[in-house]
Amino acid sequence: MPEVSPLQILQDPLLTQKGVEVAVLREDLLHPGIPGNKWRKLHYNLQAARAQGAETLVTFGGAFSNHIAAVAVAGKEFGFATIGYIRGEETRPLNPTLQFATDCGMHLRYLSRAEYRLRAEARFHAEILKTAPKPYLLPEGGTNLLAVKGCTEIVTGIQEPWDVLCVAAGTGGTLAGIVAGAAGKGKIIGFPALKGGEFLAKEVTELVQAYTGQTYTNWELQTGYHFGGYAKHTPELLTFIRQFYQKHAILLDPVYTGKMLHGVFDLIRQDYFPVGTKVVAVHTGGQQGWAGYAQRYGLTLDFLI
Ligand SMILES: *Cc1c(COP(=O)(O)O)cnc(C)c1O
């Protein structure tokens, strides 16, 4: 049985006016420390690592990566050493994400941007795996077929009827899992957090094909809600996140879920969904990102109230 997250139905005059229902799937509450899709993506990988007798989880990420934080917690909790290869040069003091990862016991190694570009290449993996005892490699963002398998359970765990599932996308692994889990049912919309997110169409199609052997057409990308690009934001986005918190008592994150839900409401305003549509928006977590925002932009969570 897949783990089940609560569905929180939103009350909003706009939704009443448009006749559209939106429920937030609280995947962010799934696991303390490894919230949302990161737990779904790691779950079967951790089982595989254990079954292989691996001792060290090795992975890659940017300096503010939710994935890096999640792997650090997973290692601590499930008894693996962890090594995180971080894009770019070391800066001291460590930012909150990397300090947290270090506190969990993760060893950090830094890759120049040129080296980081090799992160998906087999030869590069072979090199770095030589330097870790009994390693288990997790790709950037944790996206592999076991992660896709874990994310299928986001869908199969939903116990209410729905028409449209909305989810934020970074590498697209979570979106691929949801498309695979839906198996042709309903409609899935992915909201890339990166500028130029169109490239994800190919990645997601390939992941779904590799996992299911099928090609599904009941999904699409909405690429207009990146707010300037990955880890970028606008005053409009922050206002949306604040109002959302005040209305619904749900804290979104600034990198992924805030953009996705802003997109969902924008589409509703444009009458994108027929009257009667039941939308489920997946809250994939990501709240650890706020600590990085406090450091980079001086923006603490006080702005919410
Ligand atoms: C990592 C992350 C995503 C993106 O997941 P992908 O599988 O890489 O697309 C979305 N939302 C949150 C909160 C995340 O931390």
Side-chain angles (χ1 to χ4, degrees):
M1 264 303 280
E3 290 169 279
V4 172
S5 300
L7 266 178
Q8 187 170 340
I9 296 177
L10 303 184
Q11 308 292 340
D12 190 297
L14 177 73
L15 302 178
T16 314
Q17 182 203 333
K18 299 287 188 183
V20 174
E21 182 184 301
V22 177
V24 176
L25 184 67
R26 298 298 306 271
E27 290 276 304
D28 57 315
L29 306 177
L30 198 56
H31 189 288
I34 316 177
N37 65 342
K38 298 302 184 280
W39 172 243
R40 299 284 188 188
K41 293 173 88 170
L42 283 171
H43 180 62
Y44 289 110
N45 277 293
L46 295 171
Q47 282 183 7
R50 179 151 305 152
Q52 288 170 23
E55 290 175 3
T56 312
L57 306 175
V58 181
T59 196
F60 307 88
F64 292 92
S65 159
N66 293 337
H67 169 66
I68 288 289
V71 171
V73 174
K76 183 174 154 190
E77 196 169 319
F78 297 96
F80 297 97
T82 51
I83 300 176
Y85 281 89
I86 309 301
R87 181 181 62 232
E89 275 166 26
E90 178 174 22
T91 46
R92 292 272 173 179
L94 294 176
N95 77 40
T97 303
L98 297 183
Q99 186 61 53
F100 173 77
T102 304
D103 293 344
C104 292
M106 181 177 263
H107 295 274
L108 302 179
R109 294 176 183 170
Y110 294 86
L111 296 173
S112 70
R113 277 159 206 272
E115 288 170 321
Y116 198 81
R117 254 173 247 129
L118 305 172
R119 66 191 175 281
E121 290 187 10
R123 256 198 309 156
F124 187 64
H125 290 172
E127 277 307 306
I128 63 170
L129 290 179
K130 276 192 227 150
T131 70
K134 298 201 177 161
Y136 184 90
L137 188 83
L138 291 158
E140 183 182 44
T143 291
N144 59 16
L145 292 186
L146 288 177
V148 171
K149 176 180 178 182
C151 290
T152 63
E153 298 183 349
I154 296 174
V155 184
T156 52
I158 298 176
Q159 297 182 322
E160 299 292 328
W162 56 273
D163 303 303
V164 178
L165 255 176
C166 295
V167 66
T171 63
T174 305
L175 174 58
I178 288 176
V179 171
K185 173 179 168 272
K187 179 173 176 180
I188 326 292
I189 308 180
F191 293 77
L194 290 82
K195 203 193 277 191
E198 293 79 10
F199 79 96
L200 283 178
K202 180 164 170 281
E203 310 262 323
V204 171
T205 302
E206 286 173 2
L207 280 167
V208 172
Q209 170 72 36
Y211 181 71
T212 64
Q214 310 261 356
T215 304
Y216 293 109
T217 53
N218 62 324
W219 66 279
E220 65 180 30
L221 295 171
Q222 283 288 338
T223 55
Y225 298 103
H226 56 72
F227 293 87
Y230 190 73
K232 302 262 170 55
H233 65 271
T234 63
E236 184 195 358
L237 177 64
L238 296 181
T239 300
F240 175 80
I241 290 172
R242 184 178 67 238
Q243 289 174 348
F244 197 87
Y245 179 77
Q246 290 177 351
K247 278 188 203 156
H248 310 298
I250 298 175
L251 178 60
L252 302 173
D253 84 293
V255 181
Y256 294 103
T257 58
K259 295 177 178 181
M260 179 271 292
L261 267 149
H262 187 290
V264 169
F265 273 82
D266 194 52
L267 292 175
I268 290 170
R269 220 169 275 120
Q270 296 172 33
D271 298 318
Y272 191 79
F273 303 110
V275 173
T277 303
K278 288 180 191 296
V279 177
V280 169
V282 184
H283 194 327
T284 39
Q287 285 100 338
Q288 78 87 27
W290 285 112
Y293 259 57
Q295 193 202 27
R296 276 180 292 177
Y297 304 114
L299 185 76
T300 67
L301 287 179
D302 293 346
F303 91 95
L304 292 170
I305 34 174

